[in-house]
Amino acid sequence: MAEGAAPRVVKEEALPGGWVRLSFEPIAPDPALEVMELEEAQAVLTVLHAALLAERPEIRVLPPARFQLLGEGEEWGERRLRERFQARFGGMLLSLPEDLEQSRLYQALKLSPRYMGAGVREAARELFGSPVFLASVSMSIAVYFGAWLAPEPLFSKAFAVTLTAALALTVGMVEVANLALACVRLYWESEAAKTERELEAASEHFGRAVGGTGLRVLVMVASMGLAKATPAVPGGGLGALLGGPRYAVEGGLAVEAAATATVVANRSLILSGVATGEVAARLCGGLALCSTIEGKPSGSGTGAKLSTRYGSPHTRQNPPHNEAIEKELAAREAAGHTQLRKNKAQLDAQDKRVLERGTTGGPRFRKPDVSSLRPDGVRHNTNYVSNVRDLRRELDAFEAMKRLDPEAIHELYLLDGTLLRRHVPAGVSLP
């Protein structure tokens, strides 16, 4: 969709029994989504690796292609990844061996980038060279895309319902369905392969079927198995890969805990346990799409009221980023922090402005999104990444802030709470 173009309003039809049908009028493909840069792929891997390793920092991705707990034989990474995906999406719909890397599906996925188009091939090689990404895609096919085997796929877990609706509103139901069918075909052809040539043929069919938009959707589904937030894309972090929403439900769409979704033959989406129109607007607080799975809305979109308790809006174009800052500052105030600063020049523990000396063509100082002074006198700085395309810049800023004030705590997060980087000075503990 052209920059700034309004989303196409989805046709909405009430059905007996409280069901709602959403019909998506076809839209010409967005050329911007059909290309993926190498830098975008590298940013994706940074996020996925951080999400998997955050809870157990002693885990590392090790050659040749295995991620495991250092010093132990247990392949904690694969086991934990399975647990996360099944907790979010539900049980396995397609069987996979305990060792994901030994599955024919995993091996076929690894070969597929060579058959993808020139606009995405280099980025795909980067992505499919990561065991974390390959394992996440394999699990995505087993627990989510496997549902598309049915003539009319049914999703009964609210997480999967929300993700399906979010992807449909973002890129269109046809695009999501085409990717799902390509994934299912890859699974069956790779499982049936008896020779290397047959496995290669399965990879070729998949690679040629997946364009830039499909690859971006695949990234989103794989990342949602590791994410901490309810799926609502587009939005911050990896959601930015898909750009702005191409479709919208008038008044918004609220997905409730008992929601179900069915995709029918004409690629319309039939939902139960959802609210639209004025009811959705009240539940979602002005967001285009939200989930009320835990009794309160979560999601992303436009129209949300901007909080300004701790300072002027970080940006009016990105309400979720502003709200993340305000929420963090409120938590720190409750914990006894002082000198609560929102998007202001970096200070050290002695309240002196920290400047970059000798820089050219850039800022003389950094502006952490959140900065405060802990009760023990330690400065605590935090930044958030809204757009994955900005990840390299944000990582550079993190390193600069750490270099300028190594005695402070520095953190970098995605908006969904995924920790990307953290620096804690020696002798300092985190609560």
Side-chain angles (χ1 to χ4, degrees):
M1 179 174 292
E3 186 72 23
R8 186 73 56 88
V9 176
V10 173
K11 181 180 178 182
E12 181 184 338
E13 177 187 359
L15 300 177
W19 292 77
V20 176
R21 182 198 302 270
L22 302 182
S23 299
F24 299 80
E25 181 182 346
I27 300 176
D30 185 350
L33 297 183
E34 287 304 306
V35 175
M36 179 180 281
E37 302 294 339
L38 177 61
E39 291 73 20
E40 290 180 293
Q42 292 169 339
V44 166
L45 295 181
T46 297
V47 172
L48 289 181
H49 293 168
L52 182 65
L53 308 183
E55 297 179 14
R56 298 289 292 272
E58 66 271 30
I59 298 173
R60 296 292 183 268
V61 178
L62 299 174
R66 193 172 299 279
F67 45 105
Q68 61 184 214
L69 188 62
L70 292 185
E72 298 184 14
E74 176 192 12
E75 292 178 15
W76 184 92
E78 286 193 16
R79 177 175 58 83
R80 182 58 176 149
L81 183 140
R82 282 176 180 270
E83 291 172 354
R84 288 196 188 183
F85 270 85
Q86 292 186 34
R88 291 187 171 280
F89 290 98
M92 301 273 283
L93 301 174
L94 300 174
S95 61
L96 289 174
E98 286 300 315
D99 186 349
L100 292 177
E101 295 169 26
Q102 299 305 311
S103 72
R104 293 185 180 90
L105 174 63
Y106 184 103
Q107 295 165 23
L109 283 167
K110 194 170 185 178
L111 295 172
S112 64
R114 67 182 70 176
Y115 300 108
M116 295 185 184
V120 299
R121 189 180 303 127
E122 187 178 8
R125 282 173 175 159
E126 187 80 4
L127 290 169
F128 286 81
S130 162
V132 175
F133 183 75
L134 283 169
S136 297
V137 172
S138 298
M139 286 300 302
S140 299
I141 293 173
V143 301
Y144 176 69
F145 289 119
W148 295 77
L149 276 170
E152 294 189 350
L154 174 67
F155 304 97
S156 58
K157 188 151 186 171
F159 187 91
V161 174
T162 308
L163 177 59
T164 303
L167 291 173
L169 291 171
T170 304
V171 300
M173 198 72 256
V174 170
E175 286 76 5
V176 179
N178 287 344
L179 173 65
L181 295 176
C183 289
V184 170
R185 179 183 181 182
L186 176 67
Y187 175 84
W188 288 116
E189 289 186 346
S190 61
E191 285 295 301
K194 303 298 183 183
T195 65
E196 289 297 323
R197 178 172 294 183
E198 290 174 340
L199 192 67
E200 190 87 29
S203 299
E204 181 177 0
H205 293 155
F206 179 75
R208 297 196 186 284
V210 177
T213 300
L215 183 58
R216 291 167 184 271
V217 172
L218 195 65
V219 166
M220 287 309 306
V221 178
S223 70
M224 285 302 174
L226 297 175
K228 296 181 180 179
T230 300
V233 294
L238 293 181
L241 285 173
L242 295 175
R246 312 199 76 205
Y247 297 90
V249 177
E250 193 168 0
L253 178 66
V255 180
E256 301 170 3
T260 59
T262 302
V263 182
V264 297
N266 65 359
R267 295 297 179 247
S268 59
L269 184 63
I270 299 181
L271 301 160
S272 71
V274 299
T276 61
E278 293 182 6
V279 176
R282 290 196 300 270
L283 289 172
C284 294
L287 302 178
L289 169 69
C290 77
S291 169
T292 58
I293 293 173
E294 296 176 353
K296 54 186 178 181
S298 65
S300 63
T302 58
K305 184 178 179 181
L306 293 170
S307 302
T308 56
R309 178 182 176 188
Y310 296 97
S312 58
H314 179 270
T315 170
R316 293 190 179 278
Q317 286 69 47
N318 192 350
H321 196 136
N322 182 78
E323 299 312 299
I325 294 172
E326 291 273 332
K327 182 179 179 180
E328 178 62 22
L329 284 167
R332 293 191 188 184
E333 184 176 28
H337 289 219
T338 57
Q339 297 185 21
L340 303 169
R341 297 169 62 83
K342 177 182 179 181
N343 194 35
K344 293 183 178 179
Q346 183 180 355
L347 300 180
D348 62 17
Q350 288 71 46
D351 304 336
K352 294 180 180 179
R353 183 174 288 192
V354 181
L355 296 176
E356 290 186 274
R357 304 293 181 184
T359 59
T360 59
R364 291 290 299 255
F365 54 85
R366 301 287 175 172
K367 288 185 175 182
D369 288 338
V370 174
S371 183
S372 63
L373 201 63
R374 301 196 328 173
D376 60 2
V378 176
R379 175 69 62 183
H380 190 169
N381 299 317
T382 297
N383 278 319
Y384 296 96
V385 180
S386 289
N387 192 328
V388 70
R389 296 182 177 93
D390 299 330
L391 183 55
R392 174 47 54 193
R393 185 189 69 196
E394 296 290 351
L395 290 171
D396 290 343
F398 173 87
E399 293 299 328
M401 291 173 59
K402 183 177 72 172
R403 184 170 60 250
L404 292 167
D405 187 8
E407 301 305 314
I409 298 170
H410 301 284
E411 296 175 317
L412 182 64
Y413 288 94
L414 290 182
L415 289 184
D416 69 2
T418 298
L419 177 65
L420 299 178
R421 291 285 191 278
R422 174 181 281 155
H423 166 76
V424 181
V428 175
S429 61
L430 289 175

